[in-house]
Amino acid sequence: MAFSSGYFKTSYAKDLTIVETKPRWVALLLLLAALVVLPFLASTFFLDLANQVLLALIGSVALMILTGYAGQISLGHAGLIAAGAFTTAILFKELQAPFFITFPASAVTGGLLGIIFGLPSLRLKGLYLALSTLSLHFIVTFFGSEYETKRGLASGVVLDPPSIGTLRLEDPRFWYFFLLIVDVLVVLLAINLIRSRTGRAWIAVRVRDIAAESFGINVSYYKVLAFVVSSVLTSLAGCLLAYYRGFVSVEAFSMLMTIEYMAMIIIGGLGSILGAILGTGFVVLLPYAIDALVNIFAIPSRLTTYMFAIKYASFGLVMIIFLILEPSGLAGIWRRLRDYFILWPFKHKPVGK
Amino acid sequence: MNIVVLASLYCLIGYGYVLIYQVSRVLNLAHGELMSLGGYFLLTIVIMGMTVSPLTSFLLAFILLLALGLVIYFVLMRLMTGESVFTAVLVTISLGILLRGLITLTWTSQSWFPLQYMGIRASSFQFIGGAQIPTFGLVKVASALGVFLILTFGIKYTRWGIKMRAVGENPLLASQRGIAIHKYYALAWGLATSIGGLAGMIQACDSGLDPGMFIIGLKAFPVVLVAGLDSLSGVIPAALLVATAEILAINYISPQASDVAPFAVLVAMLLIRPWGLFGTKEELERV
């Protein structure tokens, strides 16, 4: 990465470090400390918000790997989350399976579905691929709703909170730390995958697959691999979501969910893990921010019945604005801001931009 | 008979997708919302009592939608020229979300029945075999055929149609030959919106109006893909195929399968002949 500060890498070892400079270490440790302290200060409501962000982050990092790095467009993300959630729900309902069985089982379902979702990518590109994954979404949710009706669980499946060893995951604070650890692991995994041979192969496939093939990259293998990695992570997110809500129902996994995840990586900025994190926060918190705004300005109560529609419309509007005005997303804004302050009071463009 | 009626509804919606794709290579995923907007426009016009005759209110709503399509193109989609196709498609998705929110805001999420306000009662015709078909089913079939004939003729023989095809085939060459390409892109958007809206109006008269209506637009989408995205004449057989699959699925599997059947057909189609039954083969960028 080119820095505007004049930081240059002078050894191969430096090229391999994840955290590059001392100020970054400081910032990272501060951030981690803040994240650890947060649940002790926040109210239940804000803790729930934080948990939602952490949950969504797993899915959005997965989608970022697939779409942002490997360049494969998928509109079946909600279908995969549903697959993980339903694997968990069915195993729990039918076999009373504990957490340490449902969790890997969701991963396996995700992996298998990833292969199925990924196969069309060997023949199709772009728009057509998006459509085939979209139809897979409908097929997966269809099986979910079939299960619900066949078993007479029209309103959904209720789950008990999971336990790890002797620890029962019930308290939102426990959930927070559990999710935080999972998230840190997922982000580390993603960063390392992308730095490695696999990630470079993905980026090559995204940029120009024919050139990648001629470099000896097995394009089919890496495409399917991207789908599998992304689907496994997504299904795990689905499993955790099922436990967190304590409730699984098909209605939750609509097209809107897919679009929300798409929005996270687009608003965050494609091709950047930081973007996935920022975008997730933005999309999850946006409806609550609108709620708060409405409360502050004390807009007539007549409007509160339309809250849902208002959130819906503003969500669409924000997405349009980002697509048109800021294609590089929040990560791009962050990079510009950072460069501005690093270079201040000078105004030249940083190297490599 | 159900199959034919459903197929003609899908046809009417499908023309909109094809028109926009053929001319500007953008897939308009907001089409379902624009369609239901057609129904709502009709409803508003009828309630406000601006006209007495139902035919005039249909016409008025049609013209309004044409204008809306033009506005959408000039305000929004024009900015997307030169961007990647996928970005443009995402913009249409976001537009769909925005419209859905606005529809619920303006007309609330309750169900409306425009027929009540028009003073017409839904009637049905008796056929010789004893089969009954609702009047608006017939209207659907008739308008699907009518629109098809007008569009095919218009695109093949009129000046505007020929220029539209030129723009679709090669925008650069077309603009160098002095064709104002933005005008024809906008025209395609306007026509597609109003035809989709027409489908929405008829459907609203037939079975009422609520914000969930856009789903029909989404389900009409496999039809277009099966037909081949740039083939207007392929829409009719494809619509028949998808409608047959859907009705069979409802009868023999379960009513819930109605949402899935079109997409199952779509997956099969994508794996066997991704360019559709009647699409141009070299159109598709394949791996």
Side-chain angles (χ1 to χ4, degrees), chain A residues 85-102:
Chain A
F86 269 100
T87 309
T88 309
I90 292 171
L91 281 177
F92 178 82
K93 197 81 193 167
E94 307 295 331
L95 305 170
Q96 305 296 322
F99 181 70
F100 66 87
I101 290 181
T102 55

mmCIF file of all heavy atoms in Angstrom, chain A residues 85-102:
data_model
loop_
_atom_site.group_PDB
_atom_site.id
_atom_site.type_symbol
_atom_site.label_atom_id
_atom_site.label_comp_id
_atom_site.label_asym_id
_atom_site.label_seq_id
_atom_site.Cartn_x
_atom_site.Cartn_y
_atom_site.Cartn_z
ATOM 1 N N ALA A 85 -28.916 -21.073 9.255
ATOM 2 C CA ALA A 85 -29.897 -20.966 10.332
ATOM 3 C C ALA A 85 -30.796 -22.189 10.358
ATOM 4 O O ALA A 85 -31.103 -22.735 11.416
ATOM 5 C CB ALA A 85 -30.724 -19.701 10.157
ATOM 6 N N PHE A 86 -31.215 -22.640 9.171
ATOM 7 C CA PHE A 86 -32.129 -23.780 9.140
ATOM 8 C C PHE A 86 -31.435 -25.087 9.484
ATOM 9 O O PHE A 86 -32.043 -25.957 10.112
ATOM 10 C CB PHE A 86 -32.837 -23.876 7.784
ATOM 11 C CG PHE A 86 -34.117 -23.116 7.779
ATOM 12 C CD1 PHE A 86 -34.196 -21.860 7.222
ATOM 13 C CD2 PHE A 86 -35.241 -23.646 8.373
ATOM 14 C CE1 PHE A 86 -35.369 -21.139 7.253
ATOM 15 C CE2 PHE A 86 -36.425 -22.939 8.411
ATOM 16 C CZ PHE A 86 -36.484 -21.684 7.852
ATOM 17 N N THR A 87 -30.151 -25.226 9.080
ATOM 18 C CA THR A 87 -29.417 -26.414 9.501
ATOM 19 C C THR A 87 -29.433 -26.494 11.017
ATOM 20 O O THR A 87 -29.737 -27.544 11.607
ATOM 21 C CB THR A 87 -27.963 -26.337 9.018
ATOM 22 O OG1 THR A 87 -27.968 -26.037 7.633
ATOM 23 C CG2 THR A 87 -27.244 -27.632 9.258
ATOM 24 N N THR A 88 -29.112 -25.357 11.644
ATOM 25 C CA THR A 88 -29.107 -25.315 13.101
ATOM 26 C C THR A 88 -30.482 -25.649 13.666
ATOM 27 O O THR A 88 -30.621 -26.487 14.560
ATOM 28 C CB THR A 88 -28.696 -23.906 13.555
ATOM 29 O OG1 THR A 88 -27.494 -23.564 12.886
ATOM 30 C CG2 THR A 88 -28.487 -23.864 15.038
ATOM 31 N N ALA A 89 -31.510 -25.003 13.107
ATOM 32 C CA ALA A 89 -32.852 -25.165 13.645
ATOM 33 C C ALA A 89 -33.325 -26.605 13.508
ATOM 34 O O ALA A 89 -33.876 -27.187 14.443
ATOM 35 C CB ALA A 89 -33.811 -24.226 12.931
ATOM 36 N N ILE A 90 -33.094 -27.196 12.329
ATOM 37 C CA ILE A 90 -33.589 -28.554 12.090
ATOM 38 C C ILE A 90 -32.861 -29.543 12.988
ATOM 39 O O ILE A 90 -33.483 -30.392 13.633
ATOM 40 C CB ILE A 90 -33.426 -28.926 10.596
ATOM 41 C CG1 ILE A 90 -34.373 -28.077 9.752
ATOM 42 C CG2 ILE A 90 -33.711 -30.400 10.370
ATOM 43 C CD1 ILE A 90 -34.174 -28.192 8.274
ATOM 44 N N LEU A 91 -31.518 -29.399 13.064
ATOM 45 C CA LEU A 91 -30.770 -30.325 13.924
ATOM 46 C C LEU A 91 -31.233 -30.201 15.366
ATOM 47 O O LEU A 91 -31.354 -31.195 16.085
ATOM 48 C CB LEU A 91 -29.276 -30.038 13.821
ATOM 49 C CG LEU A 91 -28.590 -30.606 12.582
ATOM 50 C CD1 LEU A 91 -27.133 -30.201 12.544
ATOM 51 C CD2 LEU A 91 -28.714 -32.124 12.575
ATOM 52 N N PHE A 92 -31.487 -28.966 15.782
ATOM 53 C CA PHE A 92 -31.902 -28.764 17.164
ATOM 54 C C PHE A 92 -33.274 -29.358 17.406
ATOM 55 O O PHE A 92 -33.522 -30.040 18.395
ATOM 56 C CB PHE A 92 -31.909 -27.270 17.496
ATOM 57 C CG PHE A 92 -32.371 -26.977 18.881
ATOM 58 C CD1 PHE A 92 -31.498 -27.080 19.951
ATOM 59 C CD2 PHE A 92 -33.687 -26.620 19.125
ATOM 60 C CE1 PHE A 92 -31.930 -26.838 21.234
ATOM 61 C CE2 PHE A 92 -34.125 -26.366 20.405
ATOM 62 C CZ PHE A 92 -33.238 -26.474 21.457
ATOM 63 N N LYS A 93 -34.173 -29.112 16.467
ATOM 64 C CA LYS A 93 -35.564 -29.541 16.653
ATOM 65 C C LYS A 93 -35.687 -31.054 16.572
ATOM 66 O O LYS A 93 -36.415 -31.675 17.348
ATOM 67 C CB LYS A 93 -36.419 -28.884 15.554
ATOM 68 C CG LYS A 93 -37.887 -28.885 15.838
ATOM 69 C CD LYS A 93 -38.253 -27.761 16.779
ATOM 70 C CE LYS A 93 -39.664 -27.971 17.292
ATOM 71 N NZ LYS A 93 -39.953 -27.090 18.434
ATOM 72 N N GLU A 94 -34.985 -31.652 15.612
ATOM 73 C CA GLU A 94 -35.181 -33.082 15.383
ATOM 74 C C GLU A 94 -34.315 -33.932 16.306
ATOM 75 O O GLU A 94 -34.721 -34.992 16.747
ATOM 76 C CB GLU A 94 -34.869 -33.433 13.923
ATOM 77 C CG GLU A 94 -35.604 -32.589 12.889
ATOM 78 C CD GLU A 94 -37.108 -32.804 12.922
ATOM 79 O OE1 GLU A 94 -37.538 -33.893 13.296
ATOM 80 O OE2 GLU A 94 -37.848 -31.842 12.598
ATOM 81 N N LEU A 95 -33.072 -33.483 16.540
ATOM 82 C CA LEU A 95 -32.131 -34.344 17.264
ATOM 83 C C LEU A 95 -31.674 -33.739 18.583
ATOM 84 O O LEU A 95 -30.861 -34.332 19.272
ATOM 85 C CB LEU A 95 -30.895 -34.607 16.381
ATOM 86 C CG LEU A 95 -31.172 -35.193 14.994
ATOM 87 C CD1 LEU A 95 -29.914 -35.169 14.159
ATOM 88 C CD2 LEU A 95 -31.683 -36.623 15.132
ATOM 89 N N GLN A 96 -32.176 -32.552 18.920
ATOM 90 C CA GLN A 96 -31.723 -31.859 20.141
ATOM 91 C C GLN A 96 -30.203 -31.667 20.131
ATOM 92 O O GLN A 96 -29.551 -31.764 21.157
ATOM 93 C CB GLN A 96 -32.111 -32.644 21.400
ATOM 94 C CG GLN A 96 -33.580 -32.962 21.513
ATOM 95 C CD GLN A 96 -34.424 -31.720 21.642
ATOM 96 O OE1 GLN A 96 -34.011 -30.773 22.306
ATOM 97 N NE2 GLN A 96 -35.569 -31.662 20.995
ATOM 98 N N ALA A 97 -29.645 -31.464 18.949
ATOM 99 C CA ALA A 97 -28.190 -31.394 18.838
ATOM 100 C C ALA A 97 -27.646 -30.175 19.566
ATOM 101 O O ALA A 97 -28.240 -29.098 19.511
ATOM 102 C CB ALA A 97 -27.801 -31.322 17.368
ATOM 103 N N PRO A 98 -26.535 -30.330 20.278
ATOM 104 C CA PRO A 98 -25.925 -29.189 20.965
ATOM 105 C C PRO A 98 -25.138 -28.306 20.007
ATOM 106 O O PRO A 98 -24.968 -28.634 18.832
ATOM 107 C CB PRO A 98 -24.990 -29.858 21.977
ATOM 108 C CG PRO A 98 -24.645 -31.155 21.344
ATOM 109 C CD PRO A 98 -25.846 -31.578 20.555
ATOM 110 N N PHE A 99 -24.641 -27.207 20.571
ATOM 111 C CA PHE A 99 -23.974 -26.180 19.766
ATOM 112 C C PHE A 99 -22.774 -26.733 19.011
ATOM 113 O O PHE A 99 -22.581 -26.429 17.834
ATOM 114 C CB PHE A 99 -23.535 -25.051 20.693
ATOM 115 C CG PHE A 99 -22.863 -23.924 19.986
ATOM 116 C CD1 PHE A 99 -23.584 -23.085 19.155
ATOM 117 C CD2 PHE A 99 -21.512 -23.698 20.157
ATOM 118 C CE1 PHE A 99 -22.969 -22.044 18.508
ATOM 119 C CE2 PHE A 99 -20.896 -22.659 19.503
ATOM 120 C CZ PHE A 99 -21.625 -21.839 18.682
ATOM 121 N N PHE A 100 -21.979 -27.612 19.682
ATOM 122 C CA PHE A 100 -20.748 -28.040 19.018
ATOM 123 C C PHE A 100 -21.010 -29.016 17.869
ATOM 124 O O PHE A 100 -20.106 -29.389 17.153
ATOM 125 C CB PHE A 100 -19.735 -28.622 20.030
ATOM 126 C CG PHE A 100 -20.175 -29.904 20.676
ATOM 127 C CD1 PHE A 100 -19.904 -31.124 20.056
ATOM 128 C CD2 PHE A 100 -20.842 -29.884 21.890
ATOM 129 C CE1 PHE A 100 -20.300 -32.303 20.646
ATOM 130 C CE2 PHE A 100 -21.238 -31.068 22.469
ATOM 131 C CZ PHE A 100 -20.980 -32.278 21.857
ATOM 132 N N ILE A 101 -22.272 -29.435 17.701
ATOM 133 C CA ILE A 101 -22.604 -30.206 16.496
ATOM 134 C C ILE A 101 -23.222 -29.299 15.436
ATOM 135 O O ILE A 101 -22.868 -29.362 14.268
ATOM 136 C CB ILE A 101 -23.577 -31.356 16.832
ATOM 137 C CG1 ILE A 101 -22.830 -32.403 17.649
ATOM 138 C CG2 ILE A 101 -24.141 -31.978 15.559
ATOM 139 C CD1 ILE A 101 -23.661 -33.588 18.009
ATOM 140 N N THR A 102 -24.156 -28.428 15.857
ATOM 141 C CA THR A 102 -24.837 -27.596 14.864
ATOM 142 C C THR A 102 -23.871 -26.626 14.182
ATOM 143 O O THR A 102 -24.022 -26.334 13.001
ATOM 144 C CB THR A 102 -25.969 -26.788 15.512
ATOM 145 O OG1 THR A 102 -25.437 -26.037 16.586
ATOM 146 C CG2 THR A 102 -27.072 -27.678 16.002
#
